[in-house]
Amino acid sequence: MHRHHRQRRGTLYLAVLGVSTIVSVIALAGMHAARTQLAATTQAADRLEARLLAQSAIEHAVAVFNADANWLTTYAVDTNYPATPVAAGRGAYNWRLGGAGGLNRTLSGTAKVGDAACTLTVDLALPVDLGCGLLVEGKLQIDGDCELTVEDAPAACNDEFRVDGVVTGDVEGQSIDNNGTITGSQTAPATMRALPTPSMVFDYYEQMGTVVKPAVFGSAIISMTLLSPNSSWAGKNSDGIYVIDTQGKDLSISTSRIVGTLVVTNLAPGKKVYLSDKINWEPAYPHYPALLVDGDIEISTKDGNLAEWLLSPSYNNTGTPYQGEEDTDKSDSFISSIAGLIYCTGNLTIDGGGNDRQPDLRGVVLVGGECRLQNQTLPVIKYDDAYSTTPPPGFDQTDPVVIVPGSWR
């Protein structure tokens, strides 16, 4: 009887001890969970604040650059600024520039809050230099049987300028290898000049343009035609902006009159835009581009006149006058000339075909890659200062530096 009571008291003790242990374990687990949740919440808050401070670092740097006209030389690449991070909120930040070829720069802002760190990077855009007749990012080469004439502005490159032929005009480069004849001044090393940021140029014109699909016979072809704001086959665009769908082919433009801006952004690798024979071309607005190409261009146009004939349309028909006159007959002729701004992100080749071809270019030519004159070409570039006084959309940046839209990463 007594033994039975003692056994029951022992069992009750063990039960109470077990419950107490379980309660303690639950309490400890709850405390650990609470600490874990608090730590996670704190870390999330730290990460968010670090990201905001990294963004502030970039905005701070841009403000500093826009207050210093010499920021490109004042601030070195791959160097943290300020040397002592700026304290802000519960953390601190600084920023650094990175080289991206030529005058192009990236900008990174880094911030730390507690154990959290965040780095954001953007691309920077500088105002486009529109003060040259021909401006090339890479090497510019004039072969021995070629002559380049540039009037009223220099021909310049941000690399080696090699002359084996003749340049009539002023020359600028980081170095000049003159084995031929240069009639004008020679400046080397010259001040680096800024070329366009492609996305900031093409975005505008792609949004405003009318998409056109030329006929394809091995390559996409625009030939023996009139293309203008009032042209019928291409559809009407009041600004004369046409986005050319090459369907992955080369694009050949020849024997035509164009009043407008052609935009080519979908060339397949290895493909290019060819300008040949006789073309009369001007933008719909005097200060607009004539041709924008995300890729390579080859120019082999001829001087002389573009003539109407039996199989051609009237190149100055109703709605597209030439020098104030319009008609539907086939008896007119038009000077073979490309007026306007030409820009390519890739390489530009001007080729004479061995026949002393003399392309007549009037405006500004900008090349994002390299440029070469070959095979007895004699181009004449007549600089038009309308582009520097009234830059076209996409080329009209006024601040010393801006963040390229969509480049945050």
Side-chain angles (χ1 to χ4, degrees):
M1 185 72 176
H2 290 292
R3 186 170 61 251
H4 177 70
H5 282 297
R6 283 196 299 271
Q7 288 176 344
R8 192 165 60 183
R9 284 197 300 270
T11 301
L12 181 61
Y13 173 76
L14 290 175
V16 171
L17 181 61
V19 169
S20 298
T21 302
I22 292 171
V23 170
S24 298
V25 169
I26 292 173
L28 289 173
M31 292 172 63
H32 177 70
R35 284 196 301 269
T36 300
Q37 183 175 1
L38 177 61
T41 301
T42 301
Q43 289 171 1
D46 288 351
R47 287 196 295 270
L48 176 59
E49 186 170 351
R51 182 179 180 85
L52 292 174
L53 287 181
Q55 181 175 337
S56 296
I58 287 177
E59 292 170 348
H60 174 199
V62 170
V64 168
F65 300 155
N66 283 329
D68 181 357
N70 299 313
W71 69 274
L72 275 169
T73 54
T74 303
Y75 299 98
V77 299
D78 299 329
T79 302
N80 289 333
Y81 295 98
T84 301
V86 177
R90 297 183 300 116
Y93 68 77
N94 56 18
W95 45 266
R96 67 164 46 200
L97 287 167
L103 292 177
N104 298 322
R105 296 287 185 272
T106 60
L107 172 63
S108 297
T110 298
K112 293 184 179 180
V113 177
D115 292 331
C118 179
T119 297
L120 296 176
T121 301
V122 296
D123 297 326
L124 301 180
L126 283 67
V128 181
D129 193 316
L130 297 171
C132 296
L134 172 63
L135 175 58
V136 181
E137 180 67 65
K139 184 177 179 180
L140 202 170
Q141 180 170 340
I142 315 297
D143 283 1
D145 56 355
C146 301
E147 179 176 354
L148 170 66
T149 299
V150 182
E151 299 178 1
D152 301 322
C157 68
N158 291 332
D159 203 316
E160 179 191 24
F161 199 135
R162 175 166 181 155
V163 180
D164 294 321
V166 177
V167 176
T168 301
D170 298 333
V171 167
E172 295 183 9
Q174 293 309 293
S175 64
I176 297 174
D177 185 3
N178 182 14
N179 304 299
T181 301
I182 299 173
T183 67
S185 63
Q186 301 180 42
T187 306
T191 300
M192 299 278 282
R193 295 177 180 264
L195 278 101
T197 299
S199 62
M200 296 180 68
V201 170
F202 289 105
D203 284 355
Y204 173 84
Y205 294 95
E206 287 184 295
Q207 290 175 17
M208 301 301 293
T210 297
V211 177
V212 175
K213 285 189 176 182
V216 175
F217 300 99
S219 63
I221 296 174
I222 297 176
S223 181
M224 232 167 22
T225 190
L226 170 66
L227 179 59
S228 76
N230 295 307
S231 70
S232 56
W233 74 271
K236 294 184 178 181
N237 183 290
S238 59
D239 296 321
I241 302 173
Y242 292 98
V243 180
I244 309 301
D245 182 359
T246 67
Q247 300 169 65
K249 306 293 185 179
D250 290 317
L251 173 63
S252 174
I253 304 174
S254 66
T255 323
S256 298
R257 183 175 178 224
I258 299 172
V259 180
T261 300
L262 301 194
V263 185
V264 184
T265 61
N266 61 345
L267 290 169
K271 303 300 181 180
K272 64 173 68 173
V273 174
Y274 294 89
L275 310 181
S276 62
D277 207 351
K278 295 176 181 178
I279 304 172
N280 180 272
W281 192 337
E282 61 185 328
Y285 299 118
H287 69 293
Y288 264 43
L291 178 63
L292 303 173
V293 176
D294 189 6
D296 300 339
I297 299 176
E298 182 170 313
I299 299 175
S300 57
T301 51
K302 302 175 182 178
D303 55 340
N305 290 322
L306 170 69
E308 297 171 332
W309 63 299
L310 179 63
L311 297 181
S312 77
S314 168
Y315 291 131
N316 63 328
N317 65 19
T318 303
T320 310
Y322 178 70
Q323 296 182 348
E325 295 186 6
E326 57 187 29
D327 57 53
T328 57
D329 62 38
K330 303 288 187 70
S331 60
D332 301 307
S333 61
F334 310 82
I335 185 172
S336 179
S337 174
I338 301 176
L341 184 150
I342 298 174
Y343 167 55
C344 66
T345 62
N347 299 325
L348 170 65
T349 303
I350 305 180
D351 193 304
N355 295 310
D356 288 339
R357 291 178 181 171
Q358 188 173 337
D360 182 25
L361 309 175
R362 306 182 181 190
V364 174
V365 180
L366 303 174
V367 182
E370 297 184 346
C371 178
R372 182 172 183 176
L373 277 61
Q374 62 187 26
N375 292 333
Q376 293 178 239
T377 188
L378 312 169
V380 177
I381 301 175
K382 301 172 183 177
Y383 174 70
D384 186 348
D385 65 2
Y387 290 96
S388 61
T389 57
T390 311
F395 298 81
D396 54 356
Q397 179 180 322
T398 55
D399 290 329
V401 61
V402 298
I403 296 171
V404 177
S407 69
W408 288 85
R409 52 197 183 276

